[in-house]
Amino acid sequence: DDPASIWVVVNKKRPLSPKDYAPADLVTPNVATKGAQQLRAEAARATEEMFAAAKADGINLRVDSAYRSYNRQVSVYNSEVSAYGQATADTQSARPGHSEHQTGLVADFGAASGKCSIADCFGTMLEGKWIAANAYKYGFIMRYTPTKQSVTGYRYEPWHFRYVGKELASEMHKQNIETLEEFFGLPAAPNYN
């Protein structure tokens, strides 16, 4: 429940408290980014380590989106509602106060080329496949996997990775548990009701 914990679970049934929480240790990771992006210091260091390993394997990544303030999420969510309607928006964008991006522990990763940025096709690219296979080694989990929308409430997002630390990410990988809700024995959160 503690918004400052790297294990905080934020979803449709578990809003941040306070709803306008902002991390105290946001930094800009020393990696390629689309625009100015910040993460909590620990997540930023892990991102730098992971990007260096990817580069050694010939994979060039960038951070397409990271920390979003409560007010920024208001804008993002309202834009999604305007474009797609609330029902669809709720499957692909968190309501303000319910966004993992607000924790500073989430990065939307993409190819340095910008191809398939924040799009399903990222999952089919070499960059997307590399990060899906290796992110856990650096403390990240793919938060919204293809088969767990009934648990997380969000459609598959092969770009959205949540930092939980190497210990937890490795344990989840070892046990083949895909969601924080399942790992911690929390109720599924498919909707806001």
Side-chain angles (χ1 to χ4, degrees), residues 114-133:
K115 184 178 178 189
C116 292
S117 176
I118 307 183
D120 290 353
C121 56
F122 176 67
T124 66
M125 295 178 60
L126 287 176
E127 294 89 343
K129 290 176 181 178
W130 188 95
I131 207 161

Side-chain angles (χ1 to χ4, degrees), residues 59-133:
I59 302 292
N60 295 304
L61 301 170
R62 77 175 183 191
V63 176
D64 287 333
S65 182
Y67 170 72
R68 289 186 206 140
S69 68
Y70 177 87
N71 289 335
R72 175 75 179 118
Q73 191 64 27
V74 168
S75 174
V76 168
Y77 179 75
N78 288 343
S79 175
E80 290 278 318
V81 170
S82 293
Y84 306 108
Q86 187 168 15
T88 298
D90 279 344
T91 68
Q92 59 194 30
S93 181
R95 292 181 185 176
H98 294 263
S99 174
E100 284 196 320
H101 280 279
Q102 193 177 329
T103 67
L105 298 168
V106 166
D108 291 339
F109 294 124
S113 67
K115 184 178 178 189
C116 292
S117 176
I118 307 183
D120 290 353
C121 56
F122 176 67
T124 66
M125 295 178 60
L126 287 176
E127 294 89 343
K129 290 176 181 178
W130 188 95
I131 207 161

